[in-house]
Amino acid sequence: MALTVRDIAAADSPAFDGHERMVFADDPESGLYAIIAIHHTGRGPAFGGLRMRPYRDVRQALDDALKLSRAMTYKSAICELPFGGGKAVVLGDPRTDKTPALLHAMGRAVNALGGAYLVAEDLGTTLRDMAVMREVSAHVRGVADEAGAPTPATAYGVLKALEAAVAHRLGARGLDGVTVAVQGLGSVGARLCGYLAEAGARLIVADTDELAVARLRAQVPARAVAPEAILGTRADVFAPCALGGVIDAAAVPRLAAPVVVGAANNQLARPEVADRLAAAGILWVPDYLANAGGVIDVAHEGRGYDPRTVLEACERLYGITAEVLARADAEGVTPSRIADRLAEQRFTRTPRRRVA
Ligand code: NAI
C-alpha cells in the first residue's frame, strides 16, 4: 500500500484553535504514521519542526501537533517573520522506528501539501534526518550548506529575553551575579549555560542524563542538583530547557525563582497557569517569545547565510520582551495576554477550512 495523506477534522479537540488544516499521513510500507497541523498561513507558509515520539495514542499526538503549530504562528507573528505556524508529529520511537524509508515517506507527505508547510528538525529528529528528507522534498529547512543549526540562535534569543526579564523584575543591569537554575542541558540548555556563564551568571543545573551534566560542568562552573529538585531551587531565574508541560498548578507554589524564562516549548501545562504564576508574583516570559531565535535563524536561511547576522537579529528579542513586560504592568494583565495580543495584531485569521 502506498502513502496516503488525508484531511482530518479536529474541531472537537481542546487544542483546536481555528486551525486551517490537519492531515494524517500513513505509509504502511515504511511504518510512517504522522500528523501535520497547519494553524495559519496568513504571513507565509506554515513553518514548524518535525517531532518524533512514542506518543501514547493518536489523540495525544494530535493535541501536541495542534498546540505546537498554534505557538509557531504566534512566534513568527510577534517577531514579524514571513511564516505561519505548523507542526508535524510522527508516532514512533526515534531510536528504533526512524529509517530513511520513513523519512522519505514523511518528505512526500510534506510535498502533498504543496509548499503550505515547511519542515525542520525538532525533538526526535536531527539535521541529518532533514538532509535525508531533502532528497525527496524541497520544503525542508535547516539543511547544512544553506544554514547552521538553529540551536545557537535559540539559546541566544533566550539569553536576550532573560536579560530583559531580569532588568524588568530585578532592576539588574546585565547578569553578573544573577543565579539561574537551568533544567535540561541538551543542545539549547548547554549553549544557554555557556552564554550565561560568559555574562557572569551563577549556574545551578539539572538533567536526567548524568553525562549531560558532567559534560557541562567540564565546560563552565555550575552546581548540579537532582532533576526533581531543579524546579524548586532557590534562584533569581528558573530556565526550563527540557520538555514542555513542566509548570502545572501544583508546580507554581514550588517555584522558588521570581522569574521564569526558558527554551522549552509549551512550558505551561494549561494556559490558565499563566494567571496563577502572576498571582504568585512570578514573572513568566511566554515561551514562544523567549525561544523565537530558532525561527529567526530559519528566516535567514539561504545563500549568504551568516550566523553573526542571525545573532544580531536575535537581539530584538530583548526589546520585544521588554515591551511585553512593560505593557503587562501598565495594563495589569499577564505578559502572555499582551504577547498573544501583539502577535494577533500581526496575523489575520483566515476563514476556517471545514472538513467533513
Ligand atoms: P535536547 O533534546 O537537545 O535537550 C533536552 C535535554 O533535556 C536533554 O539533555 C534531556 O536529557 C533533558 N531532560 C529531559 N527531561 C528532563 C527532566 N525532567 N529534567 C531535566 N532534564 C531533562 O533538546 P533541545 O534542542 O535542547 O531543546 C530543548 C527545548 O527547547 C525543547 O522543549 C525544544 O522543543 C525547545 N526548543 C528548541 C529549539 C532548538 O533550536 N533546538 C527551538 C525552540 C524550542
Side-chain angles (χ1 to χ4, degrees):
M1 271 235 304
L3 169 79
T4 54
V5 178
R6 61 187 167 86
D7 283 283
I8 50 168
D12 60 340
S13 168
F16 181 77
D17 177 51
H19 282 68
E20 289 179 15
R21 195 171 177 194
M22 283 83 49
V23 299
F24 266 134
D26 188 4
D27 181 51
E29 221 161 88
S30 65
L32 177 80
Y33 198 54
I35 297 168
I36 304 175
I38 294 181
H39 179 251
H40 191 72
T41 54
R43 292 188 65 88
F47 169 72
L50 171 64
R51 180 166 287 199
M52 184 162 186
R53 275 185 68 189
Y55 288 99
R56 199 174 51 235
D57 52 27
V58 170
R59 194 142 276 286
Q60 191 194 27
L62 178 64
D63 196 58
D64 213 21
L66 291 173
K67 280 187 190 160
L68 289 162
S69 56
R70 176 185 188 274
M72 290 305 295
T73 298
Y74 281 71
K75 189 183 305 210
S76 286
I78 202 165
C79 296
E80 298 178 281
L81 299 173
F83 296 126
K87 199 79 185 182
V89 298
V90 176
L91 289 90
D93 187 334
R95 286 168 307 180
T96 50
D97 303 334
K98 199 167 61 183
T99 59
L102 180 141
L103 291 167
H104 283 164
M106 187 67 214
R108 295 200 308 275
V110 171
N111 290 345
L113 297 172
Y117 170 61
L118 301 176
V119 64
E121 66 166 323
D122 192 58
L123 294 178
T125 60
T126 63
L127 282 179
R128 205 173 313 143
D129 298 334
M130 292 307 114
V132 174
M133 283 174 65
R134 185 62 172 259
E135 290 164 4
V136 301
S137 173
H139 309 300
V140 182
R141 294 295 176 267
V143 183
D145 299 343
E146 290 172 7
T151 303
T154 303
Y156 192 69
V158 173
L159 177 78
K160 294 294 124 187
L162 193 151
E163 285 174 351
V166 163
H168 183 87
R169 170 51 60 88
L170 307 174
R173 280 257 202 115
L175 298 176
D176 200 21
V178 170
T179 306
V180 185
V182 181
Q183 178 188 49
L185 306 172
S187 339
V188 181
R191 181 71 71 135
L192 174 65
C193 285
Y195 289 137
L196 289 169
E198 255 172 55
R202 290 198 206 116
L203 295 172
I204 306 172
V205 298
D207 196 294
T208 42
D209 177 357
E210 285 175 18
L211 259 180
V213 177
R215 255 197 317 266
L216 183 92
R217 293 183 75 205
Q219 284 164 17
V220 290
R223 177 159 75 85
V225 298
E228 52 284 5
I230 191 79
L231 188 136
T233 296
R234 191 161 294 283
D236 295 310
V237 182
F238 172 58
C241 297
L243 291 180
V246 287
I247 308 177
D248 56 15
V252 174
R254 285 181 52 219
L255 278 166
V259 174
V260 176
V261 47
N265 279 312
N266 292 338
Q267 290 163 23
L268 307 188
R270 302 177 63 79
E272 311 81 79
V273 178
D275 298 317
R276 287 182 184 254
L277 286 167
I282 296 168
L283 187 155
W284 179 67
V285 177
D287 39 22
Y288 67 74
L289 170 56
N291 68 20
V295 189
I296 293 176
D297 182 89
V298 171
H300 281 77
E301 212 172 304
R303 257 181 267 147
Y305 172 85
D306 176 6
R308 273 169 315 178
T309 314
V310 174
L311 293 193
E312 274 164 30
C314 290
E315 299 269 349
R316 52 197 292 254
L317 291 177
Y318 185 104
I320 301 173
T321 305
E323 179 186 352
V324 165
L325 300 182
R327 282 210 205 176
D329 274 4
E331 295 187 31
V333 298
T334 61
S336 53
R337 202 151 298 168
I338 297 292
D340 282 3
R341 200 192 299 157
L342 263 183
E344 281 159 7
Q345 283 163 1
R346 293 169 185 174
F347 72 87
T348 318
R349 284 183 187 277
T350 39
R352 290 179 187 191
R353 186 175 185 278
R354 287 254 165 241
V355 179

